[in-house]
Amino acid sequence: MKKILITRKLIKESEDKATKTFDPIFNNNDELYSQSKVIEMSKGCDGILSSLTDKMDKETINKLPDTIKIISNFAVGFGNIDLDAAKKRGIAVTNTPEVLSDATAEIGILLILGACRRASEGIVSAQEGGWKWSADYLIGKQLTGSRLGILGMGRIGQKIAKIAKSLGMIIHYHNRSKLSDEKEQGAIYHDNIKSLFSVSDVLSICCPATKETENMINKETVEYFPKGAVITNVARGDIVDDEALIDALNRRKIYAAGLDVYKNEPNLNPGYNKIKSAFILPHLGSATKDTRIAMANLAIDNIDEFIEFLSYPNDANFESDIYELIDWTENKFKSLDFKINRLETKTIPLLLASKHISDDYKTVLIYMHLDGQPVDPKKWNQENPFIPVYKIKDNESFIDYDSNKDMFGNLLF
Ligand code: NAP
């Protein structure tokens, strides 16, 4: 049986599943392991089931024993893991998408309601007693008819959008790529954050913490919002520059904040505790029993599947691999004077390239498919690139062309 280190205590049902599947090392006292302890304890293990409290930085990853083949993170976010370092050591990294989206979207909505309707002040007043009802007592902001900006309209963002719509909010969003009509559900796309923030009466941050999104809410960008906007964050603390948000709250540029996540958790910036209009929660996003069991079970299955079949559907490095492939393909088409539109990034189709050729307006839809199989970006590299199969839009139908064999391919390359 394969040996795995499980760095944090799981709910009993999941630990039972792990015992049936592997020879696991449990953390019975739910101790917070130091990085050196994780390295030490993972000796002789095939994989690590880590959690967001484990900082798997470059130094830690480089010191992991050679037997470690996979880090399966017990979270959808993987800001705690240096993906490049893992990739360089040939260690797979997986996450737990989807199973936590409903629970996290519920907290996302709670943050919006709590911040807009002054729940923190209300709770304190109710507990202290002696409050006096009046027509203008603790009046807040009503959601009906107000504009909700969603920064990162992925799995969680789309669920928040659906609930917020039923509360009468008008949905705007920004992603790096525009969603399909089906996923947009009538939401209005903005191709940059300035445009999104300027129409956001309320913002819900739902994008991952990456180098690109770090401190996206900062001194400059808080000024893009309408005066009296509300900012909520259910994603990760690293996306917000705390000093800038606290200053904007104190100046009342920003009316209220609803936060579930922070930089340096659990030691959040003390400035938040002094602000009455801050509705703050201790990272509760996925905290329901069913969700935590589903997450841990998926994290276990990710290791099992990887060890059994060398496949890992919840590959945390997928995005960086696929972007390398997309960037290369996009540049090829651009050099041939095609106009490029990026569609979705995580599902095919990915690129739409169009150009006038003779009297025809050719539109090429680029699928990352090879011989009918989805392209594995891991098997692709710039030194030995294969060209993905293109589909050429012909009125409403799509015709398959393999650029390595077909005329159209010859025309292009
Ligand atoms: P997801 O499906 O991958 O969605 C992320 C969205 O963010 C995508 O729509 C993506 O679109 C967009 N995005 C990524 N990079 C961006 C950038 N640089 N600028 C603008 N948009 C960007 O992820 P999810 O499952 O919804 O989870 C989102 C995040 O929530 C996770 O990463 C995690 O950190 C956090 N989370 C928190 C809790 C909690 O307990 N509070 C629980 C679960 C998850 P494009 O790729 O087109 O840009």
Side-chain angles (χ1 to χ4, degrees):
M1 251 185 180
K2 297 288 179 190
K3 198 167 167 184
I4 61 162
L5 171 67
I6 303 183
T7 62
R8 297 295 305 270
K9 192 166 173 54
L10 305 176
I11 288 174
K12 190 179 174 307
E13 284 86 337
S14 301
E15 294 204 339
D16 289 348
K17 180 180 165 82
T19 308
K20 281 185 201 136
T21 324
F22 308 111
D23 172 14
I25 304 174
F26 290 125
N27 179 351
N28 293 327
N29 298 324
D30 205 17
E31 200 186 312
L32 266 183
Y33 293 153
S34 63
Q35 285 146 292
S36 55
K37 184 138 189 189
V38 169
I39 297 164
E40 181 59 32
M41 292 193 68
S42 59
K43 280 197 181 128
C45 288
D46 299 279
I48 301 175
L49 196 154
S50 59
S51 94
L52 55 87
T53 54
D54 299 303
K55 196 162 182 247
M56 306 295 273
D57 56 12
K58 189 174 168 184
E59 216 191 324
T60 310
I61 288 179
N62 285 344
K63 287 185 184 158
L64 287 176
D66 289 341
T67 50
I68 295 294
K69 293 283 170 280
I70 178 166
I71 299 171
S72 172
N73 212 32
F74 175 47
V76 68
F78 33 78
N80 57 312
I81 302 174
D82 187 323
L83 295 183
D84 287 341
K87 196 172 164 182
K88 282 195 184 108
R89 283 214 57 195
I91 297 175
V93 179
T94 57
N95 64 343
T96 61
E98 204 57 69
V99 292
L100 42 54
S101 300
D102 284 323
T104 310
E106 286 175 7
I107 292 292
I109 292 291
L110 179 60
L111 296 177
I112 295 171
L113 283 165
C116 289
R117 299 303 302 271
R118 303 176 66 174
S120 294
E121 291 164 86
I123 290 167
V124 171
S125 297
Q127 284 170 340
E128 284 177 350
W131 46 273
K132 186 169 145 235
W133 186 93
S134 67
D136 62 356
Y137 177 63
L138 279 186
I139 48 175
K141 283 190 185 280
Q142 187 155 339
L143 304 189
T144 332
S146 66
R147 298 165 298 180
L148 174 65
I150 298 189
L151 175 59
M153 180 97 131
R155 290 170 291 247
I156 295 167
Q158 285 167 42
K159 286 189 186 284
I160 290 178
K162 195 171 169 198
I163 306 170
K165 234 170 113 178
S166 74
L167 295 170
M169 299 186 89
I170 300 142
I171 316 298
H172 294 251
Y173 78 98
H174 166 65
N175 277 352
R176 288 164 303 180
S177 350
K178 190 177 183 313
L179 295 174
S180 61
D181 290 352
E182 194 194 340
K183 287 188 175 167
E184 252 180 9
Q185 291 287 315
I188 301 151
Y189 179 64
H190 296 258
D191 65 7
N192 64 82
I193 55 168
K194 188 170 189 178
S195 166
L196 177 75
F197 292 176
S198 69
V199 297
S200 297
D201 300 315
V202 182
L203 181 79
S204 176
I205 303 174
C206 303
C207 61
T210 61
K211 281 177 202 134
E212 260 182 296
T213 62
E214 188 176 0
N215 290 334
M216 232 176 200
I217 302 294
N218 57 42
K219 213 171 150 194
E220 185 189 334
T221 58
V222 286
E223 297 310 320
Y224 300 160
F225 287 88
K227 185 164 169 49
V230 170
I231 294 180
T232 69
N233 185 6
V234 75
R236 284 291 181 265
D238 288 332
I239 302 160
V240 175
D241 173 346
D242 294 320
E243 292 299 333
L245 179 56
I246 289 166
D247 174 61
L249 285 160
N250 282 328
R251 292 186 280 119
R252 306 297 281 169
K253 162 76 189 177
I254 298 299
Y255 173 84
L259 308 171
D260 186 44
V261 284
Y262 311 88
K263 278 196 173 80
N264 306 320
E265 287 177 16
N267 305 312
L268 61 151
N269 190 311
Y272 288 122
N273 295 324
K274 296 184 197 136
I275 295 171
K276 287 183 181 169
S277 66
F279 177 72
I280 54 178
L281 297 176
H283 203 145
L284 295 183
S286 62
T288 70
K289 189 176 177 192
D290 286 351
T291 295
R292 287 285 160 83
I293 291 174
M295 287 165 67
N297 289 357
L298 181 54
I300 292 165
D301 287 342
N302 284 340
I303 303 181
D304 192 26
E305 212 164 310
F306 178 75
I307 289 171
E308 279 287 311
F309 306 110
L310 271 182
S311 83
Y312 45 113
N314 301 310
D315 175 8
N317 250 323
F318 179 78
E319 198 173 323
S320 80
D321 290 337
I322 202 94
Y323 268 113
E324 200 184 329
L325 173 56
I326 298 169
D327 286 345
W328 182 87
T329 314
E330 181 170 328
N331 287 335
K332 271 271 177 221
F333 275 86
K334 274 188 178 159
S335 70
L336 292 156
D337 292 333
F338 273 76
K339 189 175 171 291
I340 297 283
N341 278 315
R342 283 194 181 205
L343 301 177
E344 291 180 32
T345 51
K346 276 176 226 143
T347 51
I348 53 171
L350 293 154
L351 296 174
L352 194 66
S354 7
K355 181 187 181 181
H356 278 286
I357 297 176
S358 310
D359 286 340
D360 264 359
Y361 192 68
K362 288 281 182 208
T363 302
V364 187
L365 202 58
I366 305 167
Y367 280 66
M368 298 298 148
H369 268 58
L370 190 70
D371 297 333
Q373 297 297 315
V375 164
D376 179 353
K378 286 197 180 311
K379 295 193 183 119
W380 182 92
N381 63 64
Q382 295 205 16
E383 285 77 50
N384 183 22
F386 55 77
I387 317 293
V389 170
Y390 307 116
K391 289 192 178 252
I392 300 181
K393 194 175 179 207
D394 176 15
N395 298 324
E396 287 312 298
S397 59
F398 291 100
I399 310 159
D400 272 326
Y401 279 80
D402 182 336
S403 63
N404 293 309
K405 300 184 202 125
D406 294 318
M407 233 179 60
F408 193 76
N410 292 338
L411 176 73
L412 286 174
F413 298 103

